[in-house]
Amino acid sequence: MPLSVHALAHRLLTVEAVAELVGLPAEPKIPDEAVAEAVRRRGWSWEHDLVGDALVTGHGHVLCSEGYIPFGAPGDRQFLVFGEVYPVDPDDDDMLNGPWLFGLMDDWQGQPGWTGTRPATVEDCEDVLAGAARAVTLCLGSAPERTVVSDAAVVTGPAMTHRVWRTPTHALILGPCADNGPYGYLTHLQLSCTPLACGPDLPPATDEDALEKWITAHVDW
């Protein structure tokens, strides 16, 4: 029987959204006084509840940047959240965390263009990740270099698929990652864009332990 998760919320990741994320590091740096206008012009908005000090893009996903401002910051890690998961927590059999975590999931699901499933399965989450992977593959014109099923970079919940692509300067890592906001009980489904300098060369596909460490080094702030 498929393992379950309490709730899944997500919004389709498109080729256009991937291209926008991949292009952000190469954009001209914007002076602090011009950031608000740049955000407004793009049709973006500030987000401080779902993810602290983040932005909602014009595609409806939540973007967080290590340096807060994502434009023209090639040395910063960034991630784009297109899904949110409330996993089953084996240490919370009585669902003591349920009332407030379901409230947070309501907030995610209530975002324009987002949809939700309750209860859901790991397979539902994997379907969302597979759809996102197709968008990344179409955008970059290549299949992922590495694919591994792992619970690397998550706090609680089941293992899911991570996929890795590289551009000449950045690693693109698609998969689950801990939501470090509300105590890590929730899990993002996200696409990270991280400078390759965050870690050594990509380990061989046969070395899953090294690959998990490489993924965590790039996506974990």
Side-chain angles (χ1 to χ4, degrees):
M1 177 178 294
L3 294 173
S4 64
V5 298
H6 293 306
L8 164 67
H10 64 96
R11 176 169 177 143
L12 179 69
L13 186 67
T14 63
V15 174
E16 293 78 13
V18 175
E20 183 175 58
L21 177 68
V22 173
L24 286 175
E27 291 191 6
K29 188 172 181 60
I30 297 176
D32 290 347
E33 62 272 15
V35 169
E37 173 58 24
V39 169
R40 186 199 64 78
R41 188 172 59 251
R42 288 172 179 262
W44 292 14
S45 60
W46 297 106
E47 165 55 47
H48 299 294
D49 296 323
L50 299 177
V51 179
D53 295 335
L55 289 156
V56 177
T57 73
H59 299 287
H61 306 112
V62 176
L63 174 69
C64 188
S65 178
E66 189 174 25
Y68 188 52
I69 304 303
F71 313 121
D76 289 352
R77 309 175 202 222
Q78 303 187 65
F79 63 82
L80 190 70
V81 182
F82 56 88
E84 193 76 3
V85 179
Y86 175 12
V88 171
D89 184 351
D91 297 322
D92 190 23
D93 289 336
D94 295 328
M95 291 290 292
L96 297 178
N97 292 317
W100 67 278
L101 288 177
F102 276 121
L104 290 171
M105 292 301 297
D106 286 340
D107 293 341
W108 280 99
Q109 187 173 327
Q111 297 302 300
W114 285 65
T115 188
T117 305
R118 301 183 189 186
T121 66
V122 175
E123 284 72 17
D124 292 327
C125 300
E126 289 284 17
D127 285 346
V128 173
L129 289 170
R134 287 191 289 273
V136 180
T137 294
L138 285 171
C139 179
L140 298 182
S142 61
E145 294 183 67
R146 300 286 186 274
T147 300
V148 60
V149 177
S150 169
D151 60 1
V154 304
V155 174
T156 187
M160 287 185 273
T161 304
H162 289 83
R163 296 173 175 87
V164 178
W165 294 259
R166 286 180 296 175
T167 71
T169 56
H170 286 73
L172 293 172
I173 301 173
L174 179 77
C177 188
D179 180 338
N180 291 317
Y183 308 104
Y185 288 110
L186 302 183
T187 297
H188 294 319
L189 301 183
Q190 67 179 40
L191 177 62
S192 298
C193 183
T194 307
L196 286 173
C198 290
D201 291 340
L202 188 59
T206 54
D207 192 343
E208 291 193 2
D209 288 342
L211 186 55
E212 289 180 356
K213 292 177 181 177
W214 190 92
I215 289 170
T216 302
H218 281 78
V219 303
D220 189 4
W221 299 359

